[in-house]
Amino acid sequence: MLPEEFLLRMKTLLGAQYIDFLQAMEGERSYGLRLNPLKAEQFTAPDDFGLRPVPWARDGFYYDPDARPGRHPYYEAGVYYIQEPSAMAVGALANVQPGMRVLDLCAAPGGKTTHLAGQMQGQGILIANEIHPARAKILAQSVERAGVHNCMVTNETPQRLAQRFPAYFDCIVVDAPCSGEGMFRKEQIAVQEWTPESPEKCAARQDEILDCAAHMLRADGRLVYSTCTFAPEEDEGSVQRFLDRHPDWQVQAMPDIPWFAPGHPEWTPHGSQDLKNTFRLFPHLLEGEGHFVAVLRRTGGQDCQPKLAQPLSEREIPQEYRAWERAFLYVKFERLTRCGDVLWVLPEGLPDGAGLRVLRQGLELGTCKKGRFEPAHALALALQPSQAVHRLSLCADGEEIVRYLRGETLPCAGGEGWTLVDVDGYTVGWGKVSGGVLKNHYPKGLRWK
């Protein structure tokens, strides 16, 4: 049951399109996944996935919900991310490039972050932030699964980040907290939590977040603002209020996208005609949920370079790690840093995160424990199978990969010690071989029941 106040407003706004909109909202939703180019340059999907391209997202596909790709070994290996098709429009319009400095300001659960990371191809700096601690952990897990190594994950307020990173980023994505009307068909809880006052309350919060984002963008940078709601106060209204407060900004005109409707200046007081260059995604016009996206460009401003994180010198690197690396890897990692007993690989040019709540700072290598080193799950997911001295290759349709994901031991005739496990060439975790048996090191919190 959709809220009556919501339906009355949409009937007024949509006019003749309202019946089609209502039928779509009462119909079946679409399901999507997005391939991870950091892992899946060549990917052959199982036949039962029933993949069809999402036309506005290069790596996006619709899938048959009966296939349950989130319960497949390829998902655990980070080969793809389960993402609602309309949500893929944000990353597609951001279209970031390798080498850029990018911020995903409201990033959990990680769909847009991993989309941006795939476009960056491991080059440049990506900071993904989430203000809520529990959701920030989910975000960090998504980054880890995708094998991203040039990302810092933070659990901060937009205000504290704005103080630290003035005029720093080339592109900022703000997928703002909103009233969630576009998710009514997808999530019943969105309907239950909605009230007639929700759009106004959310709009005030969006104004604060956008002002913080504006402070962090360099001259001529781009800000991609999005919501998953239909409420004009939070969509065209948020953009217009932002432009009123920031006269050195403008809505960037983008090429027409056939499935997206233009924004509606007439739906907000004093709306400028530039709002027609924003995008609305309606479920009666495409296969996806409700979304709004605007690309804003700063026409003035300055650039700023914050203090950079400094790696350890070679003599400061724990020798137990270098010994482990020589024994079990064909690759040598540089630019290491240490946080307690945990070793990380710092991306080139990563800002110093001191004083911030940082969950991840690049690639986690593992933990030094009383004269020995234990590799992190993140390292396994970031490696190629050929980079490990010992590997155990399993098949996605075999019983052994299911046993591994359940945390069971497996027979392994390879060399002794740490062994990288992959499924059809996609790394999925670690094991440790002794006497022909692989002891399972797949994280307990991720194991299949």
Side-chain angles (χ1 to χ4, degrees):
M1 294 289 294
L2 297 174
E4 182 178 353
E5 296 91 338
F6 165 75
L7 293 176
L8 288 173
R9 186 231 296 155
M10 296 309 298
K11 184 175 183 179
T12 300
L13 293 177
L14 291 176
Q17 294 188 48
Y18 174 71
I19 297 301
D20 292 338
F21 171 79
L22 185 59
Q23 290 176 345
M25 292 293 287
E26 294 173 344
E28 294 295 322
R29 55 166 290 209
S30 298
Y31 295 81
L33 63 81
R34 183 178 38 73
L35 295 182
N36 177 7
L38 300 177
K39 296 200 172 191
E41 293 183 4
Q42 302 292 330
F43 177 68
T44 301
D47 291 339
D48 62 346
F49 277 21
L51 297 189
R52 297 181 293 112
V54 173
W56 52 87
R58 183 179 60 187
D59 297 316
F61 294 87
Y62 298 102
Y63 67 84
D64 183 343
D66 292 334
R68 298 183 67 199
R71 186 67 176 175
H72 193 281
Y74 289 166
Y75 174 78
E76 305 297 343
V79 178
Y80 50 77
Y81 184 94
I82 306 297
Q83 188 175 28
E84 195 281 310
S86 291
M88 300 179 192
V90 179
L93 287 169
N95 191 30
V96 299
Q97 302 299 314
M100 293 178 69
R101 297 180 295 198
V102 180
L103 171 64
D104 189 355
L105 186 53
C106 312
K112 296 170 181 67
T113 295
T114 53
H115 198 168
L116 299 169
Q119 294 172 339
M120 295 173 73
Q121 287 292 307
Q123 302 173 44
I125 297 298
L126 173 60
I127 296 181
N129 180 71
E130 173 56 45
I131 191 172
H132 299 288
R135 287 172 54 80
K137 292 179 181 179
I138 296 171
L139 168 63
Q141 193 175 85
S142 297
V143 170
E144 176 179 281
R145 184 183 296 114
V148 180
H149 59 81
N150 63 325
C151 180
M152 181 162 72
V153 178
T154 57
N155 171 214
E156 281 293 350
T157 65
Q159 290 80 5
R160 277 178 53 82
L161 290 180
Q163 292 171 1
R164 180 63 70 90
F165 300 111
Y168 173 70
F169 294 100
D170 300 300
C171 181
I172 298 177
V173 171
V174 177
D175 185 41
C178 68
S179 58
E181 297 170 358
M183 296 295 109
F184 281 177
R185 183 172 67 169
K186 178 174 178 279
E187 299 172 355
Q188 182 61 31
I189 191 171
V191 179
Q192 296 169 352
E193 292 180 347
W194 187 90
T195 69
E197 295 74 34
S198 294
E200 184 177 354
K201 292 179 180 179
C202 291
R205 181 167 48 177
Q206 290 155 6
D207 289 350
E208 295 179 3
I209 294 172
L210 281 170
D211 286 346
C212 291
H215 186 69
M216 291 185 278
L217 205 71
R218 67 163 180 80
D220 203 38
R222 288 184 300 118
L223 193 163
V224 182
Y225 172 72
S226 66
T227 73
C228 56
T229 191
F230 302 112
E233 303 100 301
E234 304 175 66
D235 294 344
E236 293 92 347
S238 282
V239 173
Q240 185 61 57
R241 293 192 304 274
F242 177 82
L243 296 176
D244 292 341
R245 296 191 305 273
H246 300 274
D248 59 336
W249 288 70
Q250 63 185 21
V251 180
Q252 181 174 345
M254 303 291 289
D256 289 339
I257 301 175
W259 308 274
F260 300 175
H264 288 263
E266 71 278 11
W267 287 0
T268 191
H270 315 296
S272 70
Q273 291 305 300
D274 286 348
L275 294 178
K276 290 183 177 179
N277 292 325
T278 63
F279 295 99
R280 278 188 171 269
L281 283 66
F282 285 112
H284 64 291
L285 299 179
L286 50 74
E287 289 187 72
E289 306 309 304
H291 244 74
F292 172 86
V293 189
V295 181
L296 307 171
R297 181 174 289 279
R298 185 173 200 160
T299 57
Q302 58 185 358
D303 295 349
C304 183
Q305 176 64 55
K307 180 182 177 182
L308 300 182
Q310 295 301 312
L312 300 172
S313 65
E314 184 61 33
R315 69 175 179 273
E316 293 175 308
I317 296 173
Q319 289 308 300
E320 56 265 39
Y321 168 70
R322 285 300 190 206
W324 181 92
E325 186 182 64
R326 288 191 296 271
F328 298 111
L329 297 183
Y330 291 125
V331 60
K332 182 179 181 180
F333 286 101
E334 306 290 351
R335 294 189 53 78
L336 273 58
T337 192
R338 186 170 184 168
C339 183
D341 292 330
V342 180
L343 287 178
W344 299 82
V345 180
L346 291 174
E348 186 74 39
L350 184 73
D352 186 358
L356 298 175
R357 290 189 291 271
V358 177
L359 279 67
R360 305 190 65 81
Q361 50 178 343
L363 172 61
E364 183 183 2
L365 288 178
T367 306
C368 298
K369 296 184 174 182
K370 295 182 181 179
R372 63 186 177 88
F373 178 79
E374 185 168 306
H377 184 58
L379 176 59
L381 292 169
L383 289 170
Q384 297 295 322
S386 60
Q387 293 176 315
V389 173
H390 307 308
R391 59 181 288 197
L392 175 63
S393 296
L394 306 176
C395 295
D397 57 359
E399 178 62 27
E400 283 191 319
I401 185 61
V402 176
R403 291 178 57 195
Y404 176 76
L405 293 173
R406 287 175 178 167
E408 299 176 18
T409 59
L410 295 173
C412 183
E416 299 280 300
W418 288 97
T419 299
L420 190 61
V421 180
D422 71 82
V423 53
D424 295 340
Y426 304 117
T427 54
V428 71
W430 291 108
K432 194 173 184 181
V433 175
S434 178
V437 176
L438 181 130
K439 180 182 178 181
N440 199 309
H441 281 261
Y442 193 69
K444 291 181 180 180
L446 301 179
R447 291 178 181 179
W448 287 8
K449 306 296 184 183

